[in-house]
Amino acid sequence: MAATADVTDASPATLIYDGDCGFCTVSAMSVKRRVDGDSVRVVPWQSLDLAEFGLTEAEVSSAAYWVGPDGSLRRGHEAVTDALVAMGRPYSLLGRLVGVPPFRWLAPPVYALVARYRHRLPGATDACRL
């Protein structure tokens, strides 16, 4: 069951990423180019008041977060899935596919693997090692 953020004006949805990580920033900017800016904000956690979302620095530095318009929180692979769906076709098809077995079972370890080795991926910087 997803947690709920305490956000008074939770619309639009928000993708929260690590702005110090080059790989995360490149990925987030790819999302930003493909979503409707009125319905999805793409924001580095470093520029947010995390308490407004009920999040801590430890949480957002270890994974991406998706805050739904209703304030619901989704972390890691689930945040990526929601971002893919919000991007429209063909990305939304991939996002929906990740939500069904067997892909749903594979998504958490794949996300963890990408997060662990993000410093070796395209766009990475030294900050990605943290």
Side-chain angles (χ1 to χ4, degrees):
M1 188 167 185
T4 301
D6 182 24
V7 181
T8 54
D9 183 13
S11 189
T14 303
L15 175 63
I16 301 172
Y17 68 96
D18 184 352
D20 287 338
C21 172
F23 174 74
C24 298
T25 300
V26 167
S27 300
M29 291 304 99
S30 180
V31 172
K32 188 172 186 170
R33 283 192 303 274
R34 292 173 176 87
V35 296
D36 174 6
D38 292 333
S39 61
V40 178
R41 295 184 325 151
V42 179
V43 187
W45 69 260
Q46 292 87 346
S47 67
L48 293 173
D49 175 6
L50 296 176
E52 178 182 336
F53 295 94
L55 294 167
T56 66
E57 186 174 326
E59 289 171 320
V60 295
S61 62
S62 66
Y65 276 82
W66 179 270
V67 183
D70 62 352
S72 60
L73 292 173
R74 292 180 35 101
R75 178 186 190 283
H77 74 282
E78 293 177 330
V80 172
T81 298
D82 288 348
L84 287 167
V85 170
M87 291 167 67
R89 288 182 180 244
Y91 305 97
S92 61
L93 298 174
L94 178 59
R96 292 186 201 311
L97 183 64
V98 172
V100 298
F103 305 104
R104 180 175 57 205
W105 306 324
L106 297 172
V110 168
Y111 183 89
L113 189 65
V114 169
R116 181 176 181 173
Y117 293 104
R118 64 186 179 167
H119 64 281
R120 294 184 179 174
L121 298 173
T125 61
D126 286 339
C128 300
R129 289 183 184 273
L130 304 177

